[in-house]
Amino acid sequence: MNNYEINPGEQLRNFIKTLYPLDLDIEDNIQDENKCFIDRVDQFIMAEGSFRQLVYDSTINYLVRRLIKTAEYLRRKYESDNFPPEQFIIELRKFLKSNIRLDDNDCEKLLAILQICLEVKSKSLKAAMKRRVRRNLNDNQELRCYICGRALSSAKKEDIHTDHIFPQTMGGATEEFNLKVACKKCNENKSEYIDSTDFHYEQMCFVSEKGTQSFNIELERKYQIAVWAKSQYSCSICGKPALEVGRLDFGRINLSDSWHFLNMEAYCNEHQPE
Ligand SMILES: [Zn+2]
Ligand SMILES: [Zn+2]
């Protein structure tokens, strides 16, 4: 059995980034009318480059998802007794070659990484590993959900989940480096989202003010997780993780702007800006 140091899904993501890098050569001195669409939008919504990065990261995640799911689709189709064992690889290679403009080397590399991504999907999480993940966390700190910071020491057994930080369905390894304890609610809402830019950030434009009931309704758990993930499950000021300080609250970067994904960050009690 393989031991991965980096999630196969992350290898895939890094490889796609090398194939399609974010072009950073476009500088401010270029005339407005010569800027590409995304830069003009970025300027229009006062995002100072972060929208551009967001769209890029989100698109890369979309490609990761599409490639893995397509490979899985083809494997299901060709891994039956009606076909020889190597048929799936032949079909996947054919698909990549005819649909994506890649040279032979890149195509073979992509093919190899995709196979590893599918391989990790089938590895089951054994009880012994779950126990180890919990024990590691428990050494010097209370057992908490790494996402929302909820204390889980007295939680019901079925409410304590072991979460793949990089989702297993997207090529996340079932190895200790990729596992953390999460509460049921966070684990289920995080689902197979890869990172914060993979959530539906475009839906996160709220009209209410924090502290009101309508704000609490607007900011559903999946959106809360998107903001926590954006801040790496840690306070944006001091860097202390929810695992240590408990639930991180939400705040705005620009207080005169509304509550939306790009303007939101997570903060600990001591660094709450409002
Ligand atoms: Zn939680
Ligand atoms: Zn802090």
Side-chain angles (χ1 to χ4, degrees):
M1 191 57 78
N2 281 304
N3 281 302
Y4 303 100
E5 282 173 11
I6 170 168
N7 289 300
E10 283 185 280
Q11 289 177 39
L12 176 61
R13 188 164 64 175
N14 294 342
F15 182 57
I16 298 172
K17 280 182 177 177
T18 62
L19 292 177
Y20 305 104
L22 177 62
D23 181 13
L24 288 169
D25 293 338
I26 302 170
E27 294 297 340
D28 287 340
N29 56 10
I30 296 176
Q31 295 291 305
D32 269 8
E33 59 269 24
N34 291 330
K35 286 192 171 182
C36 71
F37 162 77
I38 208 72
D39 289 295
R40 279 155 63 194
V41 173
D42 189 277
Q43 210 166 36
F44 179 69
I45 60 173
M46 301 157 289
E48 293 176 349
S50 56
F51 183 65
R52 188 171 197 266
Q53 185 69 43
L54 172 68
V55 171
Y56 175 72
D57 290 338
S58 164
T59 307
I60 296 289
N61 284 336
Y62 177 68
L63 287 171
V64 168
R65 172 166 283 104
R66 275 284 299 280
L67 285 169
I68 292 178
K69 297 282 178 179
T70 305
E72 194 181 9
Y73 168 80
L74 291 173
R75 186 177 66 176
R76 280 183 188 211
K77 196 167 173 181
Y78 293 103
E79 266 196 353
S80 74
D81 294 340
N82 303 331
F83 299 100
E86 67 278 13
Q87 193 64 30
F88 155 59
I89 300 301
I90 294 168
E91 296 295 335
L92 183 56
R93 182 181 288 115
K94 213 193 289 174
F95 176 85
L96 295 176
K97 286 205 155 182
S98 57
N99 291 285
I100 307 171
R101 227 178 297 154
L102 288 169
D103 66 35
D104 284 354
N105 272 343
D106 286 342
C107 185
E108 289 310 305
K109 194 170 173 190
L110 187 54
L111 196 63
I113 303 175
L114 279 172
Q115 283 181 79
I116 307 171
C117 287
L118 294 193
E119 221 173 82
V120 296
K121 286 184 82 161
S122 55
K123 187 172 176 183
S124 62
L125 180 54
K126 300 266 161 45
M129 192 177 277
K130 281 189 195 177
R131 278 197 299 275
R132 272 210 303 281
V133 171
R134 263 166 235 189
R135 220 175 21 236
N136 284 348
L137 286 169
N138 234 355
D139 280 346
N140 46 19
Q141 58 202 162
E142 196 179 0
L143 185 69
R144 284 180 183 277
C145 169
Y146 80 102
I147 298 172
C148 72
R150 182 188 152 197
L152 294 169
S153 305
S154 53
K156 279 184 265 168
K157 208 177 159 194
E158 59 268 30
D159 286 341
I160 307 173
H161 287 207
T162 308
D163 183 54
H164 285 77
I165 304 167
F166 197 96
Q168 188 176 17
T169 50
M170 293 296 122
T174 303
E175 304 289 341
E176 278 174 63
F177 77 88
N178 192 39
L179 296 168
K180 271 198 163 98
V181 171
C183 72
K184 179 172 185 267
K185 205 171 169 187
C186 285
N187 181 257
E188 286 175 353
N189 277 286
K190 183 165 161 280
S191 184
E192 60 173 32
Y193 292 115
I194 295 170
D195 60 31
S196 67
T197 68
D198 200 31
F199 283 79
H200 285 285
Y201 64 82
E202 76 283 0
Q203 295 174 355
M204 297 173 67
C205 292
F206 307 126
V207 294
S208 315
E209 278 299 346
K210 194 183 153 194
T212 61
Q213 205 184 345
S214 51
F215 183 80
N216 295 340
I217 294 167
E218 281 192 299
L219 192 61
E220 291 171 39
R221 177 61 69 111
K222 61 178 175 179
Y223 300 144
Q224 294 177 21
I225 295 174
V227 180
W228 286 325
K230 187 184 171 207
S231 305
Q232 271 87 48
Y233 311 107
S234 304
C235 170
S236 308
I237 306 281
C238 67
K240 285 186 181 160
L243 258 178
E244 201 180 300
V245 295
R247 189 180 182 282
L248 298 170
D249 204 353
F250 305 103
R252 283 176 292 184
I253 300 163
N254 176 357
L255 299 185
S256 65
D257 195 359
S258 65
W259 293 83
H260 59 82
F261 180 74
L262 282 175
N263 196 30
M264 290 174 76
E265 276 184 333
Y267 301 96
C268 76
N269 278 339
E270 283 174 35
H271 296 111
Q272 194 51 244
E274 54 194 313

PDB file of all heavy atoms in Angstrom, residues 120-135:
ATOM      1  N   VAL A 120      -6.868   6.139  -4.405  1.00  0.00           N
ATOM      2  CA  VAL A 120      -7.065   6.533  -3.000  1.00  0.00           C
ATOM      3  C   VAL A 120      -8.544   6.573  -2.615  1.00  0.00           C
ATOM      4  O   VAL A 120      -8.887   6.517  -1.441  1.00  0.00           O
ATOM      5  CB  VAL A 120      -6.411   7.893  -2.647  1.00  0.00           C
ATOM      6  CG1 VAL A 120      -4.905   7.823  -2.791  1.00  0.00           C
ATOM      7  CG2 VAL A 120      -6.984   9.033  -3.458  1.00  0.00           C
ATOM      8  N   LYS A 121      -9.413   6.676  -3.621  1.00  0.00           N
ATOM      9  CA  LYS A 121     -10.846   6.727  -3.321  1.00  0.00           C
ATOM     10  C   LYS A 121     -11.347   5.454  -2.670  1.00  0.00           C
ATOM     11  O   LYS A 121     -12.315   5.462  -1.926  1.00  0.00           O
ATOM     12  CB  LYS A 121     -11.648   6.954  -4.613  1.00  0.00           C
ATOM     13  CG  LYS A 121     -11.556   8.349  -5.138  1.00  0.00           C
ATOM     14  CD  LYS A 121     -12.428   8.538  -6.347  1.00  0.00           C
ATOM     15  CE  LYS A 121     -13.856   8.792  -5.927  1.00  0.00           C
ATOM     16  NZ  LYS A 121     -14.636   9.411  -7.021  1.00  0.00           N
ATOM     17  N   SER A 122     -10.677   4.355  -2.983  1.00  0.00           N
ATOM     18  CA  SER A 122     -11.195   3.067  -2.523  1.00  0.00           C
ATOM     19  C   SER A 122     -10.657   2.652  -1.152  1.00  0.00           C
ATOM     20  O   SER A 122     -11.102   1.655  -0.594  1.00  0.00           O
ATOM     21  CB  SER A 122     -10.871   1.992  -3.559  1.00  0.00           C
ATOM     22  OG  SER A 122      -9.487   1.979  -3.801  1.00  0.00           O
ATOM     23  N   LYS A 123      -9.716   3.407  -0.616  1.00  0.00           N
ATOM     24  CA  LYS A 123      -9.138   2.989   0.667  1.00  0.00           C
ATOM     25  C   LYS A 123     -10.086   3.319   1.824  1.00  0.00           C
ATOM     26  O   LYS A 123     -10.497   4.456   1.997  1.00  0.00           O
ATOM     27  CB  LYS A 123      -7.778   3.665   0.896  1.00  0.00           C
ATOM     28  CG  LYS A 123      -7.093   3.115   2.133  1.00  0.00           C
ATOM     29  CD  LYS A 123      -5.684   3.609   2.307  1.00  0.00           C
ATOM     30  CE  LYS A 123      -5.117   3.068   3.625  1.00  0.00           C
ATOM     31  NZ  LYS A 123      -3.763   3.568   3.901  1.00  0.00           N
ATOM     32  N   SER A 124     -10.420   2.316   2.609  1.00  0.00           N
ATOM     33  CA  SER A 124     -11.360   2.570   3.710  1.00  0.00           C
ATOM     34  C   SER A 124     -10.613   3.051   4.944  1.00  0.00           C
ATOM     35  O   SER A 124      -9.439   2.749   5.150  1.00  0.00           O
ATOM     36  CB  SER A 124     -12.158   1.307   4.016  1.00  0.00           C
ATOM     37  OG  SER A 124     -11.283   0.294   4.436  1.00  0.00           O
ATOM     38  N   LEU A 125     -11.336   3.822   5.730  1.00  0.00           N
ATOM     39  CA  LEU A 125     -10.761   4.390   6.947  1.00  0.00           C
ATOM     40  C   LEU A 125     -10.980   3.414   8.100  1.00  0.00           C
ATOM     41  O   LEU A 125     -12.107   3.198   8.534  1.00  0.00           O
ATOM     42  CB  LEU A 125     -11.434   5.745   7.222  1.00  0.00           C
ATOM     43  CG  LEU A 125     -11.025   6.546   8.441  1.00  0.00           C
ATOM     44  CD1 LEU A 125      -9.517   6.768   8.462  1.00  0.00           C
ATOM     45  CD2 LEU A 125     -11.754   7.878   8.452  1.00  0.00           C
ATOM     46  N   LYS A 126      -9.890   2.829   8.553  1.00  0.00           N
ATOM     47  CA  LYS A 126      -9.989   1.805   9.601  1.00  0.00           C
ATOM     48  C   LYS A 126     -10.135   2.430  10.988  1.00  0.00           C
ATOM     49  O   LYS A 126      -9.637   3.525  11.235  1.00  0.00           O
ATOM     50  CB  LYS A 126      -8.736   0.916   9.563  1.00  0.00           C
ATOM     51  CG  LYS A 126      -8.544   0.185   8.239  1.00  0.00           C
ATOM     52  CD  LYS A 126      -9.154  -1.205   8.304  1.00  0.00           C
ATOM     53  CE  LYS A 126      -9.424  -1.853   6.973  1.00  0.00           C
ATOM     54  NZ  LYS A 126      -8.381  -1.775   5.970  1.00  0.00           N
ATOM     55  N   ALA A 127     -10.779   1.675  11.859  1.00  0.00           N
ATOM     56  CA  ALA A 127     -11.022   2.172  13.226  1.00  0.00           C
ATOM     57  C   ALA A 127      -9.717   2.523  13.941  1.00  0.00           C
ATOM     58  O   ALA A 127      -9.651   3.507  14.677  1.00  0.00           O
ATOM     59  CB  ALA A 127     -11.797   1.124  14.021  1.00  0.00           C
ATOM     60  N   ALA A 128      -8.669   1.744  13.693  1.00  0.00           N
ATOM     61  CA  ALA A 128      -7.387   1.988  14.367  1.00  0.00           C
ATOM     62  C   ALA A 128      -6.829   3.360  13.985  1.00  0.00           C
ATOM     63  O   ALA A 128      -6.284   4.081  14.820  1.00  0.00           O
ATOM     64  CB  ALA A 128      -6.388   0.900  14.007  1.00  0.00           C
ATOM     65  N   MET A 129      -6.996   3.728  12.701  1.00  0.00           N
ATOM     66  CA  MET A 129      -6.479   5.026  12.264  1.00  0.00           C
ATOM     67  C   MET A 129      -7.322   6.158  12.860  1.00  0.00           C
ATOM     68  O   MET A 129      -6.788   7.184  13.276  1.00  0.00           O
ATOM     69  CB  MET A 129      -6.438   5.111  10.746  1.00  0.00           C
ATOM     70  CG  MET A 129      -5.633   6.321  10.286  1.00  0.00           C
ATOM     71  SD  MET A 129      -5.452   6.458   8.516  1.00  0.00           S
ATOM     72  CE  MET A 129      -4.094   5.375   8.210  1.00  0.00           C
ATOM     73  N   LYS A 130      -8.630   5.950  12.914  1.00  0.00           N
ATOM     74  CA  LYS A 130      -9.505   6.946  13.551  1.00  0.00           C
ATOM     75  C   LYS A 130      -9.052   7.207  14.985  1.00  0.00           C
ATOM     76  O   LYS A 130      -8.972   8.342  15.420  1.00  0.00           O
ATOM     77  CB  LYS A 130     -10.955   6.438  13.588  1.00  0.00           C
ATOM     78  CG  LYS A 130     -11.699   6.577  12.292  1.00  0.00           C
ATOM     79  CD  LYS A 130     -13.166   6.249  12.547  1.00  0.00           C
ATOM     80  CE  LYS A 130     -13.910   6.013  11.254  1.00  0.00           C
ATOM     81  NZ  LYS A 130     -15.289   5.619  11.474  1.00  0.00           N
ATOM     82  N   ARG A 131      -8.752   6.113  15.678  1.00  0.00           N
ATOM     83  CA  ARG A 131      -8.319   6.252  17.082  1.00  0.00           C
ATOM     84  C   ARG A 131      -7.008   7.017  17.168  1.00  0.00           C
ATOM     85  O   ARG A 131      -6.837   7.871  18.023  1.00  0.00           O
ATOM     86  CB  ARG A 131      -8.156   4.863  17.729  1.00  0.00           C
ATOM     87  CG  ARG A 131      -9.474   4.262  18.216  1.00  0.00           C
ATOM     88  CD  ARG A 131      -9.223   3.125  19.205  1.00  0.00           C
ATOM     89  NE  ARG A 131      -8.468   2.018  18.617  1.00  0.00           N
ATOM     90  CZ  ARG A 131      -9.038   1.032  17.916  1.00  0.00           C
ATOM     91  NH1 ARG A 131     -10.338   1.015  17.734  1.00  0.00           N
ATOM     92  NH2 ARG A 131      -8.301   0.067  17.414  1.00  0.00           N
ATOM     93  N   ARG A 132      -6.094   6.719  16.226  1.00  0.00           N
ATOM     94  CA  ARG A 132      -4.801   7.409  16.245  1.00  0.00           C
ATOM     95  C   ARG A 132      -4.969   8.904  16.005  1.00  0.00           C
ATOM     96  O   ARG A 132      -4.350   9.716  16.656  1.00  0.00           O
ATOM     97  CB  ARG A 132      -3.868   6.820  15.179  1.00  0.00           C
ATOM     98  CG  ARG A 132      -3.056   5.638  15.663  1.00  0.00           C
ATOM     99  CD  ARG A 132      -1.722   5.548  14.942  1.00  0.00           C
ATOM    100  NE  ARG A 132      -1.866   5.474  13.498  1.00  0.00           N
ATOM    101  CZ  ARG A 132      -2.199   4.368  12.824  1.00  0.00           C
ATOM    102  NH1 ARG A 132      -2.408   3.248  13.477  1.00  0.00           N
ATOM    103  NH2 ARG A 132      -2.291   4.379  11.520  1.00  0.00           N
ATOM    104  N   VAL A 133      -5.849   9.256  15.037  1.00  0.00           N
ATOM    105  CA  VAL A 133      -6.080  10.670  14.723  1.00  0.00           C
ATOM    106  C   VAL A 133      -6.611  11.384  15.963  1.00  0.00           C
ATOM    107  O   VAL A 133      -6.197  12.478  16.311  1.00  0.00           O
ATOM    108  CB  VAL A 133      -7.063  10.822  13.540  1.00  0.00           C
ATOM    109  CG1 VAL A 133      -7.491  12.268  13.350  1.00  0.00           C
ATOM    110  CG2 VAL A 133      -6.427  10.280  12.267  1.00  0.00           C
ATOM    111  N   ARG A 134      -7.521  10.735  16.675  1.00  0.00           N
ATOM    112  CA  ARG A 134      -8.096  11.340  17.879  1.00  0.00           C
ATOM    113  C   ARG A 134      -7.074  11.452  18.989  1.00  0.00           C
ATOM    114  O   ARG A 134      -7.026  12.444  19.699  1.00  0.00           O
ATOM    115  CB  ARG A 134      -9.284  10.505  18.362  1.00  0.00           C
ATOM    116  CG  ARG A 134     -10.579  11.080  17.856  1.00  0.00           C
ATOM    117  CD  ARG A 134     -11.709  10.131  18.014  1.00  0.00           C
ATOM    118  NE  ARG A 134     -12.336   9.944  16.715  1.00  0.00           N
ATOM    119  CZ  ARG A 134     -13.474   9.304  16.529  1.00  0.00           C
ATOM    120  NH1 ARG A 134     -14.081   8.742  17.559  1.00  0.00           N
ATOM    121  NH2 ARG A 134     -13.983   9.211  15.330  1.00  0.00           N
ATOM    122  N   ARG A 135      -6.253  10.426  19.129  1.00  0.00           N
ATOM    123  CA  ARG A 135      -5.245  10.436  20.192  1.00  0.00           C
ATOM    124  C   ARG A 135      -4.225  11.542  19.964  1.00  0.00           C
ATOM    125  O   ARG A 135      -3.874  12.276  20.879  1.00  0.00           O
ATOM    126  CB  ARG A 135      -4.550   9.082  20.282  1.00  0.00           C
ATOM    127  CG  ARG A 135      -4.319   8.663  21.713  1.00  0.00           C
ATOM    128  CD  ARG A 135      -3.739   7.287  21.886  1.00  0.00           C
ATOM    129  NE  ARG A 135      -3.055   6.757  20.736  1.00  0.00           N
ATOM    130  CZ  ARG A 135      -3.366   5.595  20.162  1.00  0.00           C
ATOM    131  NH1 ARG A 135      -4.367   4.889  20.627  1.00  0.00           N
ATOM    132  NH2 ARG A 135      -2.678   5.148  19.145  1.00  0.00           N
TER     133      ARG A 135
END
